[in-house]
Amino acid sequence: DELPTSQYLNEVSKKLREKGISLACLDIESDCYVLITVPSSDIDEIKKLAQEVGYRIQDSF
C-alpha cells in the first residue's frame, strides 16, 4: 500500500514473470491505461498485432 504505482507494478510484474505471465499496459491514447496479462511466450506477437492496428503495448514498467 505504501509503494508508488510504478514500483508496485514492477513488483507484480516480476512475480508474474516467474510464472510465465507478462503484465502489460495497452495504450489506447486515453487518460486510462488498460492492464492486461498474457502468456510471456505470446507478448511479442501481441505487441506486433497491437501496433498493426494503431495501438501500443508496453510490458516493462
Side-chain angles (χ1 to χ4, degrees):
D1 289 339
E2 298 174 10
L3 294 176
T5 302
S6 61
Q7 191 175 354
Y8 179 78
L9 290 175
N10 277 323
E11 294 300 317
V12 169
S13 182
K14 287 178 194 175
K15 297 288 184 185
L16 289 171
R17 201 173 304 126
E18 293 171 3
K19 304 291 183 187
I21 301 169
S22 290
L23 176 66
C25 177
L26 175 60
D27 183 354
I28 58 172
E29 299 181 16
S30 175
D31 289 343
C32 63
Y33 296 91
V34 180
L35 292 177
I36 59 173
T37 55
V38 297
S40 294
S41 59
D42 296 340
I43 190 67
D44 289 334
E45 180 67 16
I46 291 169
K47 288 166 74 173
K48 180 182 167 194
L49 291 171
Q51 186 176 16
E52 287 176 8
V53 295
Y55 295 105
R56 184 173 69 95
I57 292 180
Q58 176 183 341
D59 63 331
S60 57
F61 297 92

